[in-house]
Every structure is written in C-alpha cells, then in structure tokens.
Amino acid sequence: MRAIVLVGFMGAGKTSVGQALAARLSWSFEDLDRRIELREGKTIAEIFRDSGEAAFRNAERKGLSELLEELRSGPRRVIALGGGAFIQQSNFELIRAAKIPTIFLDAEVDELWRRCRRESAETSVERPLLTAAADFNGLYEKRRPYYLRASMRYVTDGKTVAQIAAELIEALGLPASEK
Ligand code: S3P
C-alpha cells in the first residue's frame, strides 16, 4: 500500500485525521488544497475569487495527477482531498486506476456545519463554499452518494482525532509506525 486517500465533506476532519494517521504510520502527509495553493501561489479563496470554481477544479485535477505520479517513487503518503475533489469523475477514476484505498470520513451534517463555523471563527481559513446552512446541507446531500464510492466509510461523530487514526490503522490492517 503506497498511499491512503481521505475523502469527505468540509469539516469531516480530513486534514487533522490525515496528519494524525501519517504521524502514527511514519508516512508523509499531503494536503491536496495546500499543494494547489503552493502551485498557484494563491490561497484557495483567492483562486475562487479571481478565477472561479472551474479554474480551481482544473488546478485540483492537475495537482492530483501530479501527486499520484509522485507516488510511484516517493515516500508513502496519507493524502487529504478537498471536499469536492472526489466528486469529479476524472479524479475518482485517477484514484481508482492507481488502486489507492479511499476512506470516507463521515459525520452528521449538523456536526460538519458546527465544525466549519467554529474553524472559521477561530482561524483564518476561508472556505469559499461555506455559505448558508441550507446550501451547506443541500451540497452535502448531493455529494454523499459520491463519497459512498470510497473503499471504506468511517463515522467520526463523538470520536477524537487520535481515536479515529488508531481505529483506521486497525481497520486497514496496518501496523503503526510501519516504514
Ligand atoms: C471544497 C472544499 C475545500 C476546498 C475548496 C472546495 C469543496 O476543502 O477544496 O474550498 O468543494 O467542498 P475542505 O474540504 O478541506 O474544506
């Protein structure tokens, strides 16, 4: 297993769980949004503002294919995707062709909304698609069937990041600190 990909809606904990998982496995951690920001020299919010969502999706697809290419020779990685990446058919197919296991981090939509609101109050992270609660719920419902195409679904409600990471390692049959 060269990599694990975490998918799910905004607020699912893809980045924090991904970091914890990578630390326990002694693998590298890769956040696709961060890669896009470095590649484009702009924040995700700036890309949306200056060039629109379609341009962001383009950059996302390029970033993902570049990253999957690097997996052939680079270190093992835990990869966190942005909330819309797995919805795009081309990205889904790239990941499937690379035979990388995908984990859908799921939670009640109210909980996802609360986490995102809390995060935007406490940090400078701007989520262009975090608008009204009704739109957030609608987008979640629309995307859920796509997330369910992941190889595994894991419900995060009421669990700590450390617990989630430990349980996922067990579920994947990976020994912690495997090199
Ligand atoms: C998006 C989610 C964001 C980021 C971008 C678009 C989405 O990532 O990729 O704002 O379409 O749901 P997070 O899921 O990490 O917030």
Side-chain angles (χ1 to χ4, degrees), residues 60-177:
E60 186 172 58
R61 194 184 54 251
K62 282 190 196 136
L64 178 66
S65 76
E66 201 178 84
L67 170 55
L68 295 178
E69 208 40 56
E70 286 171 23
L71 282 179
R72 293 171 190 274
S73 53
R76 293 178 177 193
R77 295 181 221 217
V78 178
I79 301 166
L81 298 190
F86 201 58
I87 310 308
Q88 310 298 315
Q89 187 63 20
S90 53
N91 295 339
F92 173 77
E93 275 163 16
L94 276 176
I95 296 168
R96 189 174 52 183
K99 297 192 168 58
I100 299 171
T102 45
I103 301 169
F104 167 28
L105 294 181
D106 200 9
E108 290 288 337
V109 70
D110 293 348
E111 172 61 17
L112 296 169
W113 173 254
R114 270 194 299 275
R115 288 184 200 161
C116 288
R117 298 299 300 175
R118 198 183 319 126
E119 209 180 292
S120 69
E122 289 170 1
T123 68
S124 60
V125 176
E126 241 189 287
R127 286 188 164 101
L129 297 182
L130 183 64
T131 49
D135 297 340
F136 188 86
N137 290 3
L139 189 59
Y140 174 79
E141 287 309 325
K142 216 165 90 188
R143 286 180 171 179
R144 210 180 134 73
Y146 294 89
Y147 297 136
L148 287 169
R149 301 195 292 180
S151 351
M152 183 196 292
R153 170 175 169 259
Y154 181 93
V155 179
T156 62
D157 296 85
K159 301 238 163 108
T160 65
V161 167
Q163 249 175 323
I164 300 168
E167 288 182 15
L168 284 177
I169 286 175
E170 206 174 309
L172 290 162
L174 287 167
S177 243

Side-chain angles (χ1 to χ4, degrees), residues 8-10 14 33 44 48 56-57 60 81-84 127-129 143:
F9 204 54
M10 293 174 269
K14 302 178 294 287
D33 280 343
I44 301 296
F48 267 77
F56 169 74
R57 296 295 168 205
E60 186 172 58
L81 298 190
R127 286 188 164 101
L129 297 182
R143 286 180 171 179

Side-chain angles (χ1 to χ4, degrees), residues 8-26:
F9 204 54
M10 293 174 269
K14 302 178 294 287
T15 301
S16 43
V17 170
Q19 283 167 337
L21 208 50
R24 276 180 184 253
L25 291 167
S26 298

